[in-house]
Amino acid sequence: MHLSHSVTCNSFERVSVFSKLVSIDSIYYLYICVRLLNHIVASYTKAVEWGLIDKHPFKGEVRLEGEKPRVRYVEDWEIVECLSLPAKKSEGGIAVVQAYIKLKLLTGIAQGDLLRLEPARHFKEDGIHVQRHKTRNSTGKVTIYSWTPALIAAKDEALHQVAM
């Protein structure tokens, strides 16, 4: 069984989009089955914990396949290629990414901490002061990245991109 929808495009052509109801229903039913299975597994876990049953019947028996972990990292030549790309515009685009990469390479600051940097607050005379977000509530330690000629150049490039 097919379901037909008519949509109007910018060129005012009529486009028909066909969707199989079976595929929509099967995705929904798969979702329901996975949720139900999760509830059953949790119920058996509690039953074992409370001593109502001796052995969990699903442990080690049912495995849902997840996404495989990423094993590839960015290689040095890829960074060199990215930094050598010509910027088509004087502001934004590749120039912003290049400024980010340079700061990241020079400091090693975590992505979230690097994106949270505020020049007026974190850029001081002796360097960049960063309080890691991950340890903010526990140690509160502040790391100071001293200014070097390369770090000053990367900071100036980044600030130039932000000001645009």
Side-chain angles (χ1 to χ4, degrees), residues 48-140:
V48 170
E49 183 181 316
W50 294 334
L52 299 174
I53 59 175
D54 294 328
K55 182 179 178 254
H56 194 303
F58 286 176
K59 288 293 180 181
E61 301 296 326
V62 177
R63 292 280 178 233
L64 298 175
E65 287 188 30
E67 190 173 317
K68 291 183 179 179
R70 182 175 37 148
V71 293
R72 184 186 176 284
Y73 294 97
V74 177
E75 296 180 18
D76 291 345
W77 69 269
E78 293 171 304
I79 293 172
V80 170
E81 286 291 319
C82 184
L83 291 175
S84 67
L85 288 172
K88 294 181 181 177
K89 300 185 286 183
S90 60
E91 75 265 351
I94 190 67
V96 171
V97 174
Q98 288 172 337
Y100 171 86
I101 291 172
K102 288 175 185 175
L103 281 173
K104 177 75 172 174
L105 287 173
L106 291 168
T107 62
I109 299 173
Q111 177 182 350
D113 293 331
L114 191 57
L115 294 173
R116 279 188 211 90
L117 286 180
E118 299 173 21
R121 194 168 135 209
H122 297 104
F123 295 172
K124 310 233 170 132
E125 281 188 32
D126 57 341
I128 302 173
H129 291 236
V130 177
Q131 184 178 26
R132 301 218 185 272
H133 186 71
K134 189 173 182 179
T135 60
R136 178 170 297 159
N137 296 328
S138 59
T139 64

